[in-house]
Amino acid sequence: MSRFRTVPALCVPALCVPALCVAALLACCQARLASQAQAAETRAAETPNVIVIMADDLGYGDLSCYGATELSTPNIDALAENGLRFTQGYCSASTCTPTRFSFLTGMYAFRQPGAGIAPPNATALVKPGTETIASIMKRAGYATGVVGKWHLGLGEGDAPDWNGELKPGPLEIGFDYCYLLPTTNDRVPSVYVENHRVDGLDPADPLWVGNKRPSPDHPVGSDPEVRKTLKMDWSHGHNNTVHNGIGRIGFYTGGNAARWRDEDLADKWVEKSVQWIEQNQSKPFFLFFASHDLHVPRMPHERFQGKTKLGYRGDSIIQLDWCVGELTKTLDRLGIRDNTMILFCSDNGPVLDDGYEDGAITKLGSHQPSGIYRGGKYSIYEGGTRTPLIAHWPGTIKPSTSDKIVCTVDFAASMAALTGQELADSACPDSFNVLPALLGQDDAKGRDHLLQQPNKGPTLALRIGDWKVLSYENAKPMKHLTYEKGPGKYELYHLADDPSETKNLADQEPERLKEMLAALEKIKADGRSR
């Protein structure tokens, strides 16, 4: 149900209604309008603004409110201290595009063909007509905006029209406004997109994006002479087009007036978000603040560089905390903090060397990005998907810690419940209403099961209660950037006794393994879990 209703027009034939009757009717209408205005104000107080802050590559152990001792995150800690800090909060996948897809659509990304990590020229992954958390909120009468990293493709056809309309995009799936990093900061093109167009693009300097070197003299990070000039060296995979002294994935030319500087990204997200909140403060709003911190290349603003002893990765965490502080200060300044629900989360677990030599490993010290959990980004161990998750709403959510299982894929159904919107059977097929858990209600229940994925299937994991099964595509041992997989196609863990997933019980519990795998296959075959 929309929070604001329109008043039906009254047809009054002036020639056949006495003047006194008209005056009485007008007085009645005025009283009715005043009553409805008061009711609207009451509903506004009952239904909050909603801001989802999604960090990038932030691990369970990366914040001081989650046990980090090598740095301090006071603004995020304040959300946790005065809100609900989840110890079993999850994202749905251990890489960015799948989690963002699932967050928006309420559907596990493995069900969507092509929902792996999006390349530079990816077109819109979420098609117009798809129910999303944004369309749900818009239907409920909210202004809807997204600022920050998108990485879900733009446009249609073979490639985005970077010099024309980038459509479809966020505005076709429920958002009223967007200001985006279209891919990731390690992928080209290094430009901003506002609504349907590249911001600040000079038509005389058209933008070209491709997957092949456009000319032999085009500067690339793999060129030994160019590599000597880089301000951040690459370790693997990031040696194509050089921008801002850093090699990227992919190739692009032109668009020079529209190009950004890595150091300024966080400031831009805050600037645009604050402007948008100010413009929409008089009505309910939903903002998706999609931070790029701590994604590589980690190049925080100069004022944050060297502020921690953990290198640029630690400095990026401090920058993220600053962003959170700027948003909460804005809410305080506008007097709308108490009527705003903030959900803080991450798109996946941590990674150290993700393609650049930035000191993340050499300066790690005793810091544990995943906390006690195994693995990180790209893995289906707990460190890949169990991340910080905080719900904050002054006066409504009591300060506490929760062990309920909640996931970012559930935000869509939960926000539908918050705003009184009904979901069609076909909509958000894997999103559960965990609103009572997010609000910290005494009798609340979280999820009883959760599917976890890396980049895309068929490697998947399923948690049911305290048991978790991992199903791999093959039995080969594997050493990855953030984890090692031993021999065997299946792994089974009892998380209550073994949260770090060190004791594989697949051989000791054959019947349970069989039951868990059958449940996993059923979720895959059914096409939905809600």
Short mmCIF file of all heavy atoms in Angstrom, two decimals, residues 4 48 68 94 137 256 268 285 318 360 423 436 444 471 507 514:
data_model
loop_
_atom_site.label_atom_id
_atom_site.label_comp_id
_atom_site.label_asym_id
_atom_site.label_seq_id
_atom_site.Cartn_x
_atom_site.Cartn_y
_atom_site.Cartn_z
N PHE A 4 1.07 7.42 0.64
CA PHE A 4 0.37 8.66 0.37
C PHE A 4 -0.72 8.42 -0.67
O PHE A 4 -0.47 7.91 -1.74
CB PHE A 4 1.37 9.71 -0.15
CG PHE A 4 2.45 10.00 0.84
CD1 PHE A 4 3.70 9.42 0.71
CD2 PHE A 4 2.21 10.81 1.92
CE1 PHE A 4 4.70 9.67 1.62
CE2 PHE A 4 3.21 11.07 2.83
CZ PHE A 4 4.45 10.50 2.68
N PRO A 48 9.89 4.29 7.66
CA PRO A 48 11.14 5.05 7.59
C PRO A 48 11.68 5.21 6.18
O PRO A 48 11.34 4.47 5.26
CB PRO A 48 12.09 4.17 8.40
CG PRO A 48 11.64 2.78 8.08
CD PRO A 48 10.12 2.88 8.00
N ALA A 68 38.21 -6.22 15.03
CA ALA A 68 39.49 -5.74 14.51
C ALA A 68 40.18 -4.86 15.55
O ALA A 68 39.54 -4.01 16.18
CB ALA A 68 39.28 -4.96 13.22
N SER A 94 30.01 -14.90 -3.08
CA SER A 94 31.31 -14.40 -2.65
C SER A 94 32.01 -13.57 -3.72
O SER A 94 33.22 -13.37 -3.66
CB SER A 94 32.21 -15.55 -2.21
OG SER A 94 32.44 -16.45 -3.27
N MET A 137 9.98 -0.45 -3.53
CA MET A 137 9.96 0.79 -2.76
C MET A 137 9.29 1.92 -3.54
O MET A 137 8.56 2.74 -2.97
CB MET A 137 11.38 1.19 -2.37
CG MET A 137 12.13 0.14 -1.54
SD MET A 137 11.31 -0.26 0.01
CE MET A 137 11.98 1.02 1.08
N ASN A 256 38.11 11.70 -22.40
CA ASN A 256 39.08 12.20 -21.42
C ASN A 256 38.49 13.19 -20.43
O ASN A 256 38.85 13.18 -19.25
CB ASN A 256 40.27 12.83 -22.16
CG ASN A 256 41.17 11.78 -22.80
OD1 ASN A 256 42.00 11.18 -22.13
ND2 ASN A 256 40.98 11.55 -24.10
N LYS A 268 32.99 11.62 -4.34
CA LYS A 268 31.90 11.81 -5.31
C LYS A 268 30.65 11.07 -4.85
O LYS A 268 29.54 11.60 -4.96
CB LYS A 268 32.34 11.33 -6.69
CG LYS A 268 31.29 11.53 -7.77
CD LYS A 268 30.92 13.00 -7.95
CE LYS A 268 32.04 13.78 -8.60
NZ LYS A 268 31.62 15.17 -8.94
N PHE A 285 12.29 8.08 1.20
CA PHE A 285 13.26 7.75 0.17
C PHE A 285 13.97 6.45 0.48
O PHE A 285 14.09 6.03 1.62
CB PHE A 285 14.27 8.89 -0.03
CG PHE A 285 15.16 9.18 1.16
CD1 PHE A 285 16.26 8.39 1.46
CD2 PHE A 285 14.90 10.29 1.96
CE1 PHE A 285 17.07 8.67 2.55
CE2 PHE A 285 15.71 10.57 3.05
CZ PHE A 285 16.79 9.76 3.35
N ILE A 318 39.17 2.89 6.45
CA ILE A 318 38.97 4.16 7.14
C ILE A 318 38.17 5.12 6.26
O ILE A 318 37.32 5.87 6.74
CB ILE A 318 40.34 4.79 7.51
CG1 ILE A 318 41.11 3.86 8.45
CG2 ILE A 318 40.15 6.15 8.15
CD1 ILE A 318 40.39 3.52 9.72
N ALA A 360 48.71 -5.04 0.78
CA ALA A 360 47.67 -5.71 1.56
C ALA A 360 48.20 -6.94 2.28
O ALA A 360 47.75 -7.25 3.39
CB ALA A 360 46.50 -6.10 0.65
N LEU A 423 4.15 -9.34 -2.75
CA LEU A 423 5.00 -9.85 -3.82
C LEU A 423 4.23 -10.88 -4.64
O LEU A 423 3.58 -11.77 -4.08
CB LEU A 423 6.26 -10.51 -3.24
CG LEU A 423 7.29 -9.59 -2.60
CD1 LEU A 423 8.44 -10.43 -2.03
CD2 LEU A 423 7.83 -8.58 -3.60
N PRO A 436 11.21 -9.07 10.92
CA PRO A 436 11.24 -9.14 12.39
C PRO A 436 12.65 -9.33 12.94
O PRO A 436 13.01 -8.76 13.97
CB PRO A 436 10.34 -10.36 12.69
CG PRO A 436 9.39 -10.42 11.55
CD PRO A 436 10.22 -10.02 10.36
N ALA A 444 11.49 -13.08 16.86
CA ALA A 444 11.88 -13.16 15.45
C ALA A 444 12.66 -14.42 15.14
O ALA A 444 13.40 -14.95 15.98
CB ALA A 444 12.72 -11.94 15.07
N SER A 471 29.40 -28.37 -2.33
CA SER A 471 29.38 -29.25 -3.49
C SER A 471 30.18 -28.60 -4.62
O SER A 471 29.79 -27.56 -5.15
CB SER A 471 27.93 -29.49 -3.94
OG SER A 471 27.90 -30.26 -5.13
N ASP A 507 32.75 -38.07 5.24
CA ASP A 507 32.91 -39.52 5.33
C ASP A 507 32.24 -40.09 6.59
O ASP A 507 31.70 -41.20 6.57
CB ASP A 507 34.39 -39.90 5.34
CG ASP A 507 35.07 -39.61 4.01
OD1 ASP A 507 34.35 -39.57 2.99
OD2 ASP A 507 36.29 -39.43 4.00
N LYS A 514 24.02 -37.16 2.22
CA LYS A 514 23.07 -37.49 1.17
C LYS A 514 21.83 -36.61 1.26
O LYS A 514 21.32 -36.10 0.25
CB LYS A 514 22.68 -38.97 1.28
CG LYS A 514 21.73 -39.45 0.21
CD LYS A 514 21.45 -40.94 0.39
CE LYS A 514 20.46 -41.45 -0.66
NZ LYS A 514 20.16 -42.90 -0.47
#
